[in-house]
């Protein structure tokens, strides 16, 4: 079954099955043929897609934000962020290994992660709910060929979520303009600042509260990319460093 063949003819559950199959078998889908009209439909598909993972025994662990770069929002012609969900099967241990043989065209980007110690609700001071912060890496892998998709399609695809790595947790401090370095095989690949995340990562935290309604203690929130994403071939060692927060790393491999 292809998204093109079923455009406008299937509901959220069927589109979620198509996306789930693409992810599990590492087969890209053509973008632009899903028949999704808007993000409201797309989030219904995302919910069904994540539901399939939970039915297989996965557990929700976090919430991620996308399009936190103002330049990216302008490029995509959108006025708001998008969001997706994280599960325990997506987490890669700090310093661990990721088998990329089942992925389609993975990329990696450095982020800031928040750990909630209290319920995060819209309004008020979002940092009051934060127990700790950490440097993080997110692995993205669009299920659409060549990372070409419409806005509803990337939302339906759980915002291209594929994996995440959390560095050491530390007490919250000033996150406003911290230097970020992404290294691949020991060489600088991207440099940036936490200010690339909506001007300040705390704004992403407030947006998460607004978009989710509320998020429970223990939830991990990925605030969004601090630099552009880079390709992630097998046999690659990746490290991100956020000034004042420390580093986080992992290595890719390919199963025989």
């Amino acid at each position: 079954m292809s998204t093109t063949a079923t455009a406008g003819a299937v509901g959220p559950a069927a589109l979620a099955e198509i996306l789930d199959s693409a992810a599990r078998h590492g087969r890209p889908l053509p973008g632009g043929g899903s028949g999704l009209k808007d993000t409201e439909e797309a989030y219904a598909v995302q919910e069904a897609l994540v539901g399939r993972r939970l039915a297989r025994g996965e557990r929700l662990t976090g919430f991620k934000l996308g399009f936190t770069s103002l330049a990216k929002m302008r490029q995509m012609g959108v006025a708001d962020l998008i969001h997706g969900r994280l599960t325990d099967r997506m987490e890669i241990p700090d310093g661990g290994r990721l088998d990329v043989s089942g992925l389609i065209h993975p990329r990696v980007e450095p982020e800031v992660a928040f750990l909630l110690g209290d319920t995060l609700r819209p309004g008020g001071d979002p940092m009051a709910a934060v127990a700790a912060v950490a440097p993080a890496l997110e692995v993205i892998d669009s299920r659409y060929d060549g990372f070409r998709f419409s806005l509803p399609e990337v939302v339906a695809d759980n915002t291209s979520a594929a994996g995440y790595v959390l560095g050491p947790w530390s007490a919250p401090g000033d996150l406003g303009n911290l230097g970020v370095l992404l290294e691949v095989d020991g060489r600088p690949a991207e440099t940036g600042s936490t200010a690339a995340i909506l001007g300040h990562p705390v704004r992403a935290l407030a947006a998460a509260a607004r978009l989710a309604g509320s998020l429970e203690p223990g939830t991990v929130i990925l605030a969004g990319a601090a630099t552009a994403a880079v390709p992630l071939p097998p046999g690659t060692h990746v490290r991100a460093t956020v000034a004042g927060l420390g580093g986080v790393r992992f290595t890719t491999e390919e199963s025989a």
Side-chain angles (χ1 to χ4, degrees):
M1 183 186 297
S2 73
T3 54
T4 301
T6 59
V10 298
L15 285 174
E17 181 180 3
I18 293 168
L19 285 163
D20 190 40
S21 178
R24 296 181 74 186
H25 299 289
R27 300 194 191 104
L29 300 168
S34 65
L36 290 168
K37 297 190 294 293
D38 52 37
T39 56
E40 183 178 355
E41 283 190 356
Y43 279 115
V45 176
Q46 182 189 115
E47 183 177 359
L49 177 63
V50 174
R52 294 178 66 88
R53 300 183 71 113
L54 301 183
R56 292 197 292 268
E58 298 186 38
R59 177 176 54 86
L60 285 176
T61 55
F63 189 87
K64 60 158 289 189
L65 294 163
F67 294 169
T68 52
S69 160
L70 298 178
K72 185 66 174 179
M73 289 176 68
R74 286 193 293 268
Q75 177 188 342
M76 293 296 295
V78 298
D80 202 356
L81 311 183
I82 60 174
H83 63 273
R85 297 287 179 168
L86 305 173
T87 75
D88 58 331
R89 300 273 180 88
M90 295 181 186
E91 186 171 1
I92 306 154
D94 187 13
R97 306 184 75 84
L98 170 66
D99 183 0
V100 295
S101 59
L103 300 180
I104 299 170
H105 36 206
R107 300 178 184 178
V108 63
E109 53 195 26
E111 305 210 7
V112 171
F114 295 95
L115 175 64
L116 297 184
D118 200 351
T119 302
L120 177 66
R121 297 184 176 90
D125 177 11
M127 288 300 292
V130 174
V133 296
L137 288 160
E138 186 186 3
V139 178
I140 56 174
D141 187 38
S142 174
R143 268 53 73 167
Y144 295 105
D145 193 22
F147 272 83
R148 293 185 294 271
F149 43 68
S150 67
L151 175 62
E153 284 173 338
V154 68
V155 168
D157 190 26
N158 198 27
T159 66
S160 304
Y164 67 101
V165 193
L166 301 172
W169 293 107
S170 60
D174 184 6
L175 304 173
N177 189 21
L178 305 179
V180 178
L181 172 64
L182 179 63
E183 297 174 278
V184 175
D185 293 331
R187 301 181 183 88
E190 293 285 341
T191 59
S193 165
T194 56
I197 305 169
L198 289 179
H200 197 299
V202 173
R203 292 175 183 160
L205 189 64
R210 175 175 57 82
L211 294 168
S214 67
L215 291 167
E216 297 303 311
T219 300
V220 170
I221 299 175
L222 294 184
T227 76
V230 301
L232 198 57
T236 299
H237 179 73
V238 181
R239 176 181 171 87
T241 305
V242 180
L245 297 184
V248 56
R249 60 190 174 88
F250 73 103
T251 302
T252 62
E253 61 185 9
E254 189 171 35
S255 60

